[in-house]
């Protein structure tokens, strides 16, 4: 098995192994909130409807105002039930969408901003990340699609987010920003967090290790998940940038757009080469 395939399998196994211990409690917690709302409102609706029917039946000459007041309460309860039902459906769609993404290995165009949005919603099932981390999600809509396997990009984002969670654990400031934008014919995916754990030495080691995947992250410690995410990203043709700024670590992936990747076009009789998204950069700034 090729080195990158071993890394993919390790990431899938890592995701599976976290389900029982870390994900299931968060899934149950997040599903319980709308479910409790639906159950509570349904019981209240039952009581109000019974009371309203009895009141109307006991007063043959009930005024229009009496009937309208009771109906308005019923309508509010129904609206609340519908809202909680929508929340429950969105949570269900997030769970099913994640497992679909992990299993989706066919080559296809991918809207990266939409995928990142779905992955961030799923990450809320990690309760510490949901409740303790200040998140900024800055995703450009309408970006060109990128080519690849949804499973690869889902694994990349899962490993990257888990690395961020590990880096922020125990820190007094827990901030995370993820963004997408178009840059020089590539989709730029950037993640910045306040963990402040990437020294220049660690960064150079990570980038150098990407040139030799035979150890698949062995001996990297907390940076193993980051290395695995970058290794899969590199196999997808992404350029990699790692830097620090004022105590914030920044990881950037430049991914060729689907329409430009590997394509040479003829323009006015001259050959036009598709944009090159590859880069290997270490930057530090205070």
């Amino acid at each position: 098995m090729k080195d990158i395939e071993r890394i993919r399998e390790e990431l899938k196994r890592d995701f599976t192994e976290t389900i029982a211990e870390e994900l299931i409690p968060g899934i149950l917690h997040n599903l319980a909130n709308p479910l409790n709302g639906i159950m509570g409102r349904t019981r209240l609706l039952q009581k109000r409807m019974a009371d309203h029917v009895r009141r109307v039946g006991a007063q043959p000459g009930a005024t229009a105002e009496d009937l309208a007041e009771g109906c308005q309460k019923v309508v509010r309860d129904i609206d609340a039930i519908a809202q909680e039902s929508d929340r429950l459906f969105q949570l269900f769609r997030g769970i099913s969408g994640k497992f679909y993404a992990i299993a989706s290995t066919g080559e296809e165009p991918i809207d990266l901003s939409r995928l990142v949005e779905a992955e961030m919603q799923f990450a809320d099932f990690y309760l510490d990340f949901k409740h303790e981390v200040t998140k900024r999600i800055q995703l450009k809509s309408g970006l060109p699609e990128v080519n690849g396997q949804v499973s690869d990009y889902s694994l990349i984002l899962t490993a990257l987010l888990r690395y961020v969670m590990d880096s922020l654990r125990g820190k007094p400031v827990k901030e995370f920003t993820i963004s997408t934008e178009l840059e020089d014919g590539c989709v730029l995916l950037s993640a910045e967090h306040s963990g402040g754990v990437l020294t220049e030495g660690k960064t150079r080691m990570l980038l150098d290790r990407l040139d030799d995947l035979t150890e698949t992250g062995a001996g990297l410690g907390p940076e193993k998940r980051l290395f695995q995410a970058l290794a899969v990203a590199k196999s997808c043709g992404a350029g990699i940038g790692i830097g620090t700024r004022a105590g914030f670590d920044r990881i950037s992936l430049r991914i060729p757009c689907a329409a430009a990747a590997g394509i040479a076009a003829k323009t006015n009789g001259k050959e036009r080469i598709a944009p090159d998204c590859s880069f290997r950069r270490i930057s530090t700034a205070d």
Side-chain angles (χ1 to χ4, degrees):
M1 186 183 292
K2 293 191 299 184
D3 297 326
I4 192 64
E5 292 299 328
R6 287 206 303 273
I7 291 175
R8 286 190 178 99
E9 290 304 314
E10 285 184 8
L11 285 174
K12 289 179 181 178
R13 188 165 57 250
D14 182 44
F15 172 73
T16 302
E17 289 173 352
T18 66
I19 291 176
E21 183 176 346
E22 299 184 49
L23 278 175
I24 292 297
I27 289 172
L28 294 176
H29 172 84
N30 288 354
L31 291 178
N33 289 334
L35 184 58
N36 286 335
I38 291 171
M39 293 172 63
R41 282 289 180 172
T42 300
R43 293 193 182 98
L44 186 59
L45 179 58
Q46 287 175 323
K47 183 178 182 301
R48 281 182 172 171
M49 198 64 185
D51 291 344
H52 186 57
V53 169
R54 280 195 300 270
R55 188 168 66 250
V56 171
Q59 300 178 11
T63 65
E65 289 79 6
D66 291 334
L67 294 174
E69 181 184 358
C71 290
Q72 287 170 0
K73 290 180 180 179
V74 170
V75 168
R76 286 197 294 270
D77 288 337
I78 292 173
D79 287 344
I81 291 172
Q83 186 176 7
E84 294 300 325
S85 297
D86 288 341
R87 283 183 61 200
L88 194 59
F89 174 73
Q90 293 299 326
L91 291 169
F92 171 79
R93 189 169 68 173
I95 296 168
S96 61
K98 176 62 176 180
F99 285 96
Y100 169 81
I102 291 291
S104 182
T105 57
E107 195 86 7
E108 59 182 291
I110 300 167
D111 184 329
L112 200 58
S113 289
R114 290 184 64 181
L115 182 61
V116 171
E117 182 180 21
E119 294 288 336
M120 288 299 295
Q121 290 173 352
F122 185 82
D124 273 349
F125 289 118
Y126 295 98
L127 295 181
D128 289 347
F129 186 68
K130 176 182 180 180
H131 295 297
E132 297 181 9
V133 178
T134 301
K135 294 173 283 290
R136 300 178 184 88
I137 304 173
Q138 302 167 349
L139 306 176
K140 291 287 183 65
S141 60
L143 293 179
E145 295 172 319
V146 301
N147 272 334
Q149 298 179 7
V150 176
S151 60
D152 277 348
Y153 286 99
S154 183
L155 290 172
I156 290 167
L157 290 166
T158 297
L160 180 59
L161 290 172
R162 293 301 308 283
Y163 164 73
V164 169
M165 294 175 202
D166 291 341
S167 300
L168 294 177
R169 190 168 288 118
K171 300 292 183 180
V173 177
K174 299 180 180 182
E175 298 180 4
F176 173 64
T177 301
I178 190 165
S179 64
T180 57
E181 59 183 307
L182 186 64
E183 182 180 277
D184 299 329
C186 302
V187 175
L188 180 66
L189 169 65
S190 299
E192 186 173 281
H193 68 90
S194 58
V197 296
L198 282 177
T199 64
E200 185 172 347
K202 287 182 179 179
T203 299
R204 291 188 182 280
M205 179 182 66
L206 281 168
L207 293 175
D208 290 342
R209 186 72 69 87
L210 288 173
D211 294 330
D212 179 12
L213 303 180
T214 54
E215 298 183 43
T216 63
L220 287 177
E223 285 75 39
K224 181 178 180 179
R225 284 189 174 116
L226 176 58
F227 166 78
Q228 291 172 323
L230 297 180
V232 177
K234 182 181 177 182
S235 76
C236 296
I240 296 166
I242 305 177
T244 60
R245 182 181 62 184
F248 280 71
D249 293 338
R250 181 180 177 86
I251 298 103
S252 300
L253 303 177
R254 288 178 49 161
I255 305 161
C257 299
I263 296 175
K266 293 287 185 178
T267 305
N268 296 329
K270 296 182 179 180
E271 187 180 63
R272 179 177 62 82
I273 303 299
D276 181 9
C277 293
S278 62
F279 75 125
R280 186 175 183 272
R281 183 175 67 203
I282 302 173
S283 61
T284 58
D286 293 323

